[in-house]
């Protein structure tokens, strides 16, 4: 498995993501090799916590420990209802946190997930 990192960012302006993309495009135009960057962003902590719930972090951890699993096997390992695990898998797949292999099993393709939370700007005193 290649070393790949998913960056989960909270509180970063969309302009920052656009700036990063523009810099990468300019580097490619110059023929430079760039490091792949994989990231998802949230405006605030509430949005991030709606996607990355404690049970979903448990699910991610179980997949990292076990490797690719069917949703049914994952639900058994987590001792959770299949329907709820299936919903969590679908949500995390939408956010690119997990994916399916050729056999339809789910897996975490990342060697690490880094969560970066920025504090809101301070109001002037």
């Amino acid at each position: 498995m290649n070393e790949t990192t998913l960056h989960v960012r909270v509180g970063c302006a969309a302009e920052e993501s656009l700036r990063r993309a523009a810099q990468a495009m300019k580097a490619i135009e110059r023929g430079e090799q760039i490091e792949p960057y994989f990231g998802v962003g949230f405006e605030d902590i509430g949005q991030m916590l709606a996607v990355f719930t404690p049970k979903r972090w448990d699910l991610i951890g179980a997949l990292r420990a076990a490797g690719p699993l069917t949703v049914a096997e994952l639900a058994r390992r987590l001792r959770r209802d299949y329907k709820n695990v299936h919903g969590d898998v679908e949500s995390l797949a939408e956010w690119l946190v997990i994916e399916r292999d050729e056999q339809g099993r789910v897996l975490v393709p990342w060697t690490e997930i880094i969560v970066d939370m920025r504090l809101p700007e301070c109001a002037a005193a």
Side-chain angles (χ1 to χ4, degrees):
M1 178 189 258
N2 292 335
E3 292 285 320
T4 55
T5 300
L6 176 64
H7 298 269
V8 177
R9 302 192 62 159
V10 179
C12 294
E15 293 81 21
E16 186 176 335
S17 296
L18 293 172
R19 181 186 50 75
R20 179 182 288 111
Q23 287 175 339
M25 291 170 50
K26 287 177 184 175
I28 290 169
E29 288 173 358
R30 291 189 301 267
E32 297 174 13
Q33 187 77 3
I34 62 167
E35 288 291 318
Y37 178 87
F38 304 98
V40 295
F42 298 93
E43 189 172 319
D44 59 49
I45 189 69
Q47 291 176 333
M48 192 275 289
L49 291 175
V51 173
F52 289 93
T53 65
K55 288 195 181 287
R56 290 179 181 169
W57 279 117
D58 290 344
L59 185 153
I60 292 165
L63 282 175
R64 285 289 299 155
L69 297 171
T70 65
V71 175
E73 178 60 28
L74 180 58
R76 278 191 292 277
R77 286 177 185 241
L78 294 171
R79 295 187 175 103
R80 292 182 53 205
D81 178 72
Y82 172 88
K83 183 178 176 182
N84 293 336
V85 171
H86 183 270
D88 285 347
V89 163
E90 293 302 313
S91 180
L92 291 171
E94 286 179 31
W95 285 96
L96 308 177
V97 180
I98 62 175
E99 59 187 39
R100 293 187 182 271
D101 67 10
E102 302 81 33
Q103 291 80 37
R105 299 174 301 178
V106 292
L107 60 104
V108 177
W110 313 105
T111 53
E112 65 181 349
I113 298 174
I114 297 175
V115 179
D116 179 11
M117 289 184 260
R118 304 290 171 99
L119 293 173
E121 294 292 324
C122 288

